[in-house]
Amino acid sequence: MGSNGRPTRGATSWRQQRERARAPRPRLPVRLDAPVTELPRITTADVRSLRKLGLQTVRELLLQLPFGWESFGAPTPIADLTAKSEARVLVRVVSAQVKRTPRRGMLLTEAVVADELGSTMKVVWFRQPYRADQLRAGDRLALAGTVRSSRYGGLEMQNPHTERVDEHGPRWVGELMPKYHLSGKLTSRKVATWVDATLHLADQLEDEIPEHVRSSHHLLSLAEAVRLGHQPETDEDWRRARDRMGFAELLELQAAFLMARQRISVERATPIPYRQEVIDAFKARLGFELTRAQKRAIWDVYKDLQQEVPMNRLLDGDVGSGKTAVAAAAAAMAHHCGLQTVVMAPTEILARQHLHKFRAYLEPSFPGLGVELLISDLPSAERRRVRMSAASGHCALLVGTHALIEEDVQLASLGLAVVDEQHRFGTRQRELLRQKSAGGRPHFLAMTATPIPRSLALALYGELTLSLIDEMPPGRRPVETQVMAPDDRDTAYELVRREVRAGRQVFVICPLIEASENLEARAATVEFERLRTQVFADLRLALVHGKMRDKDAVMRAFRAGESDVLIATSVVEVGVDVPNATVMLVEGADRFGLAQLHQLRGRVGRASLRSYCLLLADDPSKTSLRRLQLVADTSDGFRLAQEDMQLRGAGELLGARQHGMSDQAMASLRRPELLSEVRQEAEALVAADPDLTRWPALWRAAELRLERTSVS
Ligand code: ADP
Ligand code: MG
């Protein structure tokens, strides 16, 4: 029985057993919209942890289903246990004491326990010395977990799920323990208890899936799905419940996208007519031949620009695939018919880089096409000049950062708005950028360097049309990628030294620490100190992490060659061109997604220098190395993204939370046919009733998603 599955119960149903074990209920919240503070025995810390998970009301609590189950079946007599099996035992404590591990001196509780038949075994709870005080000889416990052979002979359990058994018998352990997403000191058991106390409210949940859709796809009702999702009778129940929740979420998202699309489609943009001479002039002075993928994307864009309906397109191509040239080609066309273009980038360095590239691409062929930069770090006189130039229509292309939307910037005749690294901006920011236009709505082009599979793009950015740039300009040397076990670290350091001696620069990326920017920053600081004092004492090292104020300054200095090795956390997207950097060393590479590693690798090999990506695995297991080897074997970002999605699910690929999608919706994305079915249903619903007045629950849910997700 895998930890995600759930067995079919035998004679006594799980719920009947639970019913028997149920203690008298404390006073309960009776409303779905009651805040979680009204839940029984909830602490303020619990409330905070729940809020972190986005759960503030009973309704939200109920709508979050477990993502898996711990299941250990019927109790086993100790005498029948075998090593390396999952088991559940019912025991009494014989003795318990605090001990230290021999090597590291870590505190633990060690207990001897005995079952009814008198057989005994050892139980160890690492890092939980306090348990020794809580356990008295004779206490009854239900334990569930993996059985191992003890180093000193016999069998033992380590850190099992532990539950004290009272006169009602065990309630969770050994029955079924749902696994919920957690934060802080929450436990799945606490969540399960709150769910149990409020599950009777499930009937009041309004179903957002219209009845006819539900029946044609054989979906559970929302109330059923919530009940069975939290407290299933069979494996099948739980699976169906999750499928239904995933379906609903995708439907809400697609409905939201379609409504957004519809809103945009009634807006009017100024059509930008196609002129052959413009693209000819653009290509003539570019200095390189456009790739086929770039030509295709430019053509997609030109077709959109000719329409009265504003363009709403996502340009997705790996780092270095040449997205800027596509945006420049669009800007040239806009300029030709007297319209301005604005380009927003997430950082000042990127904005500056854009300034240089756009100038290089456009000024030779279009002498009248002025390109200007607006960032907050400019002398105020210069800022004023740029603002004037934009407002008068003199400046044809305005590049900048957030400063573009924060300051009082107006463009006389904005025709095209471009956002680079679009996921770094919120919905509102993108909307504000579009509003810079004095007249109608500008055409909109979003760019991203995160290759994502088509199906995922549809699910996440369903209101945008997609152009892929799945081809690199010729002559790029692929980055030589090597997967290394921890023992190879010295070899990696030698290579670093060799490159620095040759005048090159190096990135060292510290391991990803899940969900803690603080810990990650601290770990990076420690690594920085270690490298600085023990490994590369003679080199110039710099550190950058997410908790630092002046990340940009560190990056700028590195780019200017003021340090040899930059130690960075994964939080810092090193989204900057440092053509002189030739080594990307990633520590703890196995903790990253393949697509993420690919992104990091993209930071080197920007010039024609021979470049290296060294992936150091913390976990040198075969599976882990094989997974990493994929990155070494291909430089196709779309392929790695696809692999990631198959191997670890879409959530891992992008960070589900970041996109406000639940893991069950992400899970359903592994079935691309489902997504297109959902899309069709959403299209039919919106076509029949554009404002979804007939389906208010769906409408509300979709509106909520529009607010929360990153759709533009
Ligand atoms: P992206 O923004 O997609 O990461 P850029 O637009 O910054 O990539 O392009 C990366 C580099 O490749 C730039 O130096 C650019 O001038 C160059 N480049 C773009 N397209 C081509 C091409 N078709 N052939 C050769 N070099 C190109
Ligand atoms: Mg770029």
Side-chain angles (χ1 to χ4, degrees):
M1 185 76 248
S3 61
N4 279 339
R6 186 191 174 282
T8 305
R9 300 299 310 171
T12 7
S13 101
W14 170 66
R15 196 171 300 151
Q16 283 166 339
Q17 290 200 17
R18 174 88 59 88
E19 215 67 58
R20 250 186 280 136
R22 183 163 289 159
R25 278 197 178 137
R27 204 173 56 82
L28 298 176
V30 287
R31 294 170 304 117
L32 278 172
D33 289 308
V36 290
T37 48
E38 291 182 20
L39 289 167
R41 293 193 208 98
I42 192 164
T43 66
T44 44
D46 291 336
V47 173
R48 228 176 301 128
S49 303
L50 286 172
R51 187 176 320 131
K52 271 205 189 124
L53 295 167
L55 309 178
Q56 306 207 41
T57 62
V58 170
R59 178 195 303 273
E60 286 162 347
L61 179 80
L62 288 178
L63 289 177
Q64 195 219 26
L65 299 187
F67 64 87
W69 295 84
E70 306 269 11
S71 153
F72 300 96
T76 312
I78 290 178
D80 294 350
L81 293 178
T82 51
K84 292 187 185 165
S85 62
E86 301 272 290
R88 165 197 177 204
V89 293
L90 288 176
V91 294
R92 282 184 190 276
V93 175
V94 176
S95 65
Q97 55 183 316
V98 180
K99 284 200 170 171
R100 278 181 190 279
T101 55
R103 262 185 283 159
R104 298 217 192 142
M106 196 170 38
L107 286 170
L108 54 83
T109 294
E110 188 180 287
V112 175
V113 297
D115 67 7
E116 279 182 328
L117 302 171
S119 331
T120 59
M121 71 184 286
K122 205 163 82 178
V123 184
V124 178
W125 291 273
F126 290 109
R127 298 177 198 279
Q128 300 178 20
Y130 52 84
R131 275 204 193 266
D133 287 341
Q134 298 164 351
L135 296 177
R136 299 269 170 276
D139 283 357
R140 292 175 67 201
L141 299 178
L143 306 174
T146 311
V147 180
R148 302 165 193 275
S149 38
S150 163
R151 211 184 297 176
Y152 310 100
L155 295 175
E156 68 175 28
M157 274 183 160
Q158 298 180 353
N159 285 21
H161 282 292
T162 307
E163 185 183 348
R164 248 168 216 288
V165 179
D166 58 14
E167 67 276 15
H168 298 296
R171 179 155 178 201
W172 301 109
V173 172
E175 288 307 319
L176 282 161
M177 173 69 99
K179 294 198 267 188
Y180 288 100
H181 286 297
L182 301 172
S183 83
K185 292 204 170 121
L186 277 182
T187 60
S188 282
R189 189 138 123 219
K190 277 191 194 173
V191 176
T193 312
W194 294 323
V195 166
D196 193 45
T198 51
L199 202 54
H200 62 286
L201 298 172
D203 281 333
Q204 297 170 28
L205 290 164
E206 289 175 297
D207 205 319
E208 72 280 45
I209 306 183
E211 177 109 41
H212 70 276
V213 177
R214 228 188 312 150
S215 70
S216 72
H217 292 268
H218 311 290
L219 298 170
L220 295 177
S221 74
L222 180 56
E224 278 174 303
V226 166
R227 267 195 309 266
L228 293 179
H230 289 290
Q231 301 187 349
E233 291 288 322
T234 65
D235 206 9
E236 177 70 4
D237 284 349
W238 178 67
R239 206 183 48 68
R240 287 191 70 200
R242 279 177 53 95
D243 282 355
R244 129 96 226 190
M245 301 301 267
F247 187 101
E249 191 169 330
L250 295 180
L251 184 71
E252 290 165 16
L253 275 167
Q254 291 305 320
F257 293 141
L258 291 166
M259 290 192 319
R261 237 183 209 206
Q262 206 160 41
R263 264 169 228 164
I264 293 172
S265 73
V266 297
E267 312 224 16
R268 285 294 163 258
T270 313
I272 298 175
Y274 176 75
R275 288 270 179 269
Q276 183 69 39
E277 68 267 27
V278 174
I279 184 71
D280 286 346
F282 175 73
K283 289 200 283 197
R285 297 284 194 87
L286 203 51
F288 49 75
E289 187 70 22
L290 292 167
T291 63
R292 252 171 316 162
Q294 282 171 315
K295 285 183 194 156
R296 228 175 12 240
I298 291 175
W299 185 235
D300 286 344
V301 169
Y302 283 165
K303 271 193 295 194
D304 287 356
L305 291 180
Q306 295 172 57
Q307 310 300 317
E308 274 200 336
V309 177
M311 170 169 78
N312 209 20
R313 186 168 285 280
L314 176 66
L315 192 55
D316 186 3
D318 236 320
V319 172
S321 61
K323 294 183 290 294
T324 322
V326 176
M333 204 56 87
H335 170 65
H336 185 80
C337 76
L339 294 176
Q340 293 167 296
T341 297
V342 62
V343 178
M344 182 161 72
T347 65
E348 296 202 348
I349 309 183
L350 283 174
R352 282 182 197 278
Q353 283 179 6
H354 277 312
L355 176 76
H356 297 305
K357 275 186 207 150
F358 280 110
R359 283 195 170 150
Y361 293 159
L362 294 168
E363 285 182 348
S365 309
F366 309 96
L369 199 163
V371 185
E372 299 283 6
L373 175 73
L374 193 92
I375 53 179
S376 38
D377 189 24
L378 288 179
S380 60
E382 170 68 0
R383 272 215 305 273
R384 213 164 26 240
R385 187 190 65 76
V386 173
R387 277 208 304 266
M388 292 282 288
S389 167
S392 68
H394 185 73
C395 147
L397 176 58
L398 181 61
V399 179
T401 54
H402 295 86
L404 290 169
I405 46 179
E406 280 152 16
E407 293 191 24
D408 178 25
V409 180
Q410 275 299 328
L411 289 109
S413 49
L414 179 61
L416 172 64
V418 181
V419 171
D420 195 15
E421 300 298 338
Q422 62 113 20
H423 59 280
R424 301 272 297 267
F425 296 97
T427 310
R428 224 180 94 74
Q429 291 170 311
R430 278 176 273 166
E431 191 49 41
L432 284 172
L433 187 70
R434 289 167 157 186
Q435 287 170 5
K436 291 292 168 187
S437 149
R441 234 178 138 72
H443 293 283
F444 180 70
L445 181 65
M447 305 199 281
T448 180
T450 312
I452 42 177
R454 226 170 232 288
S455 58
L456 187 56
L458 180 64
L460 293 174
Y461 313 114
E463 90 290 18
L464 299 169
T465 15
L466 187 64
S467 291
L468 296 186
I469 308 197
D470 50 4
E471 178 187 7
M472 284 300 213
R476 291 281 161 80
R477 279 193 197 207
V479 177
E480 291 173 33
T481 306
Q482 274 185 56
V483 181
M484 302 175 119
D487 297 347
D488 297 336
R489 191 169 277 112
D490 288 340
T491 321
Y493 289 159
E494 266 166 44
L495 193 137
V496 169
R497 283 189 172 285
R498 197 189 75 203
E499 288 296 300
V500 171
R501 261 200 308 275
R504 309 286 166 244
Q505 288 168 286
V506 176
F507 290 104
V508 175
I509 304 295
C510 299
L512 190 69
I513 298 179
E514 211 53 60
S516 175
E517 213 170 304
N518 279 324
L519 283 183
E520 203 163 276
R522 209 174 321 142
T525 312
V526 172
E527 176 70 359
F528 170 69
E529 283 305 324
R530 187 183 76 85
L531 292 176
R532 194 176 65 89
T533 54
Q534 294 169 30
V535 184
F536 299 127
D538 50 332
L539 307 184
R540 298 170 304 161
L541 269 55
L543 169 71
V544 63
H545 60 66
K547 287 280 149 184
M548 268 163 66
R549 277 266 178 107
D550 219 353
K551 297 189 273 282
D552 256 20
V554 179
M555 290 307 301
R556 261 201 306 275
F558 184 62
R559 187 161 195 269
E562 289 167 27
S563 41
D564 305 312
V565 181
L566 180 69
I567 290 99
T569 57
S570 64
V571 206
V572 175
E573 288 183 46
V574 266
V576 183
D577 251 334
V578 184
N580 191 43
T582 54
V583 184
M584 169 61 65
L585 189 161
V586 184
E587 288 281 355
D590 46 315
R591 299 197 213 175
F592 290 87
L594 303 182
Q596 247 178 322
L597 291 172
H598 177 70
Q599 292 288 103
L600 289 170
R601 170 169 65 183
R603 299 306 161 198
V604 293
R606 309 304 296 270
S608 54
L609 302 167
R610 193 166 165 189
S611 306
Y612 308 87
C613 175
L614 309 176
L615 304 175
L616 277 157
D618 281 347
D619 161 24
S621 75
K622 269 215 180 96
T623 3
S624 149
L625 295 177
R626 200 172 325 124
R627 199 174 72 86
L628 291 178
Q629 192 58 38
L630 281 172
V631 184
D633 291 344
T634 179
S635 53
D636 179 349
F638 288 99
R639 160 114 198 271
L640 289 171
Q642 190 70 44
E643 294 282 352
D644 244 0
M645 197 154 107
Q646 296 304 330
L647 280 171
R648 314 207 305 169
E652 294 292 334
L653 179 54
L654 294 160
R657 304 255 158 226
Q658 177 192 334
H659 288 84
M661 239 196 230
S662 73
D663 59 293
Q664 63 241 9
M666 287 286 185
S668 29
L669 290 180
R670 289 195 207 193
R671 294 156 49 200
E673 76 287 353
L674 177 74
L675 189 66
S676 61
E677 280 170 32
V678 172
R679 176 78 170 193
Q680 275 165 23
E681 290 294 357
E683 274 167 2
L685 290 170
V686 174
D689 182 0
D691 296 318
L692 297 178
T693 39
R694 251 182 284 162
W695 299 290
L698 179 60
W699 179 81
R700 263 196 304 278
E703 286 291 317
L704 207 63
R705 297 230 172 252
L706 269 186
E707 274 168 36
R708 284 194 190 159
T709 59
S710 55
V711 300
S712 48

